[in-house]
Amino acid sequence: IVWGDDKTRFSGQLSARGGLLAGDGGFAEVSGKHHLSFDGYADLSAAGGTFGTLLLDPTNVEITDQEFSYADATQFSSITLENLSNTSDVVVTATNDIYIHDVDDNELNFRPGRNISFLADTDGDGVGEFKMDSDIALIAEGGDVLIQGAGIQVGQIDTSSSDGNNGGDATLFSTQGIEVGSITTTSSV
């Protein structure tokens, strides 16, 4: 766990891998109570087991490929999050809001089989929403997607599978309301 009470800037490497024959990847957290800059690399993979989880945890999160618009938010590009899913499941939490907008190809496309979570309003005070532009698709082929927030606005979620495996689960939990464009969790089987 890498933790800062105000700001955390992480540009290093984390490794908690499973063994070559057995064993699961580990857990790693990189958190800044108010601001987080993550320019590093995390390998929580497992050749013979389940991938581990990387938790990113600031106050507010903005995910965009355009100019950042929120001064008081931790910003990630879609490419940063997609790349993190190459070697771990990804959990993005925020005490307040998570906002996904203006993504270049209108997709957050995670590696197949990865579990992805976006958890807003983690302090449970009712102030913290998950918002995603209606034209953006969150794709996690065969992986599970969990979204939580006081309020939720989602474009598209697709956890369907085209390789003969089961599609993943999509779970949305809100205390104030949910707006969804579409959810697809089908399997080719």
Side-chain angles (χ1 to χ4, degrees), residues 25 48 53 109 122 155 185:
T53 300
N109 196 347
T122 56
T185 61

mmCIF file of all heavy atoms in Angstrom, residues 25 48 53 109 122 155 185:
data_model
loop_
_atom_site.group_PDB
_atom_site.id
_atom_site.type_symbol
_atom_site.label_atom_id
_atom_site.label_comp_id
_atom_site.label_asym_id
_atom_site.label_seq_id
_atom_site.Cartn_x
_atom_site.Cartn_y
_atom_site.Cartn_z
ATOM 1 N N GLY A 25 -2.098 -13.618 -8.141
ATOM 2 C CA GLY A 25 -1.488 -12.303 -8.011
ATOM 3 C C GLY A 25 -1.958 -11.637 -6.725
ATOM 4 O O GLY A 25 -3.011 -11.990 -6.182
ATOM 5 N N GLY A 48 -0.454 -19.140 -13.494
ATOM 6 C CA GLY A 48 -1.234 -20.327 -13.200
ATOM 7 C C GLY A 48 -2.350 -20.092 -12.201
ATOM 8 O O GLY A 48 -2.853 -21.023 -11.597
ATOM 9 N N THR A 53 -5.412 -7.540 -7.727
ATOM 10 C CA THR A 53 -6.197 -6.317 -7.865
ATOM 11 C C THR A 53 -5.373 -5.094 -7.536
ATOM 12 O O THR A 53 -4.668 -5.061 -6.525
ATOM 13 C CB THR A 53 -7.418 -6.370 -6.925
ATOM 14 O OG1 THR A 53 -8.216 -7.497 -7.284
ATOM 15 C CG2 THR A 53 -8.247 -5.101 -7.025
ATOM 16 N N ASN A 109 -11.964 -0.053 -23.075
ATOM 17 C CA ASN A 109 -11.926 -1.450 -23.482
ATOM 18 C C ASN A 109 -10.849 -2.172 -22.677
ATOM 19 O O ASN A 109 -9.663 -2.054 -22.974
ATOM 20 C CB ASN A 109 -11.656 -1.545 -24.972
ATOM 21 C CG ASN A 109 -11.985 -2.897 -25.526
ATOM 22 O OD1 ASN A 109 -12.197 -3.860 -24.797
ATOM 23 N ND2 ASN A 109 -12.031 -2.987 -26.843
ATOM 24 N N THR A 122 -17.570 6.505 -1.606
ATOM 25 C CA THR A 122 -17.114 5.424 -0.731
ATOM 26 C C THR A 122 -17.255 5.758 0.750
ATOM 27 O O THR A 122 -17.234 4.844 1.574
ATOM 28 C CB THR A 122 -15.646 5.047 -1.023
ATOM 29 O OG1 THR A 122 -14.820 6.209 -0.913
ATOM 30 C CG2 THR A 122 -15.527 4.430 -2.404
ATOM 31 N N GLY A 155 -23.502 4.974 -19.864
ATOM 32 C CA GLY A 155 -23.788 4.830 -21.281
ATOM 33 C C GLY A 155 -24.064 3.378 -21.602
ATOM 34 O O GLY A 155 -25.190 2.903 -21.514
ATOM 35 N N THR A 185 -24.577 -8.757 -21.482
ATOM 36 C CA THR A 185 -23.783 -9.743 -20.751
ATOM 37 C C THR A 185 -23.914 -11.111 -21.394
ATOM 38 O O THR A 185 -23.831 -12.132 -20.721
ATOM 39 C CB THR A 185 -24.239 -9.826 -19.271
ATOM 40 O OG1 THR A 185 -25.594 -10.224 -19.227
ATOM 41 C CG2 THR A 185 -24.045 -8.526 -18.562
#
